[in-house]
Amino acid sequence: QVQLVESGGGLVQAGDSLRLSCAASGGPVSTYSYTMGWFRQAPGKEREFVAGITWNGGRTIYDDSVKGRFTISRDNTKNMVYLQMSSLKPEDTAVYYCALRRNFLVLIPMMSNEYDDWGQGTQVTVSS
């Protein structure tokens, strides 16, 4: 399995920005078929999809709640995935998880059970 480690979370005020990073290691040399996703889970709520990106083509998809505010990107040479978050809102408060799907799908998966490997999460707290 691939090891995923998230970083970059913290406590910020509404309107601030944060960039989350996800470092991937231990997997196959080729990650061209991989899909990377960011999920988040707030207390008492189900884990929900935030954004996804394909390794080879860089296609992206976002949940409507973050579209226009968040940007997912990847650096293939560094095996890194990023989530740039801007105009943060209190409702963005959650533990953010990086996830990896090994088998490629044309449509980027948006359900947590469609991903194979997970990081431990990083806390993002947005105060009003």
Side-chain angles (χ1 to χ4, degrees):
Q1 63 179 2
V2 177
Q3 295 177 337
L4 303 174
V5 180
E6 305 98 332
S7 62
L11 173 62
V12 298
Q13 291 184 309
D16 285 353
S17 298
L18 277 176
R19 189 179 78 160
L20 305 183
S21 299
C22 175
S25 63
V29 175
S30 177
T31 60
Y32 298 136
S33 65
Y34 287 6
T35 297
M36 303 297 298
W38 284 99
F39 290 77
R40 65 186 181 186
Q41 187 168 23
K45 299 180 65 177
E46 296 290 325
R47 190 170 299 183
E48 64 179 4
F49 178 82
V50 176
I53 188 169
T54 60
W55 273 111
N56 59 344
R59 293 186 294 107
T60 60
I61 190 169
Y62 299 90
D63 182 77
D64 287 341
S65 66
V66 304
K67 189 176 298 182
R69 299 188 298 119
F70 291 10
T71 301
I72 188 172
S73 62
R74 91 291 195 205
D75 186 336
N76 293 27
T77 63
K78 298 180 179 180
N79 291 328
M80 296 286 291
V81 181
Y82 307 98
L83 185 67
Q84 178 66 49
M85 305 183 294
S86 300
S87 301
L88 283 163
K89 305 174 181 179
E91 50 263 44
D92 295 319
T93 296
V95 177
Y96 283 71
Y97 297 91
C98 178
L100 178 150
R101 178 183 170 86
R102 303 189 185 194
N103 293 329
F104 177 80
L105 292 174
V106 175
L107 299 178
I108 295 177
M110 300 177 68
M111 294 186 292
S112 60
N113 61 7
E114 295 182 292
Y115 288 79
D116 302 297
D117 299 307
W118 293 83
Q120 294 299 307
T122 184
Q123 177 71 47
V124 173
T125 302
V126 184
S127 62
S128 60

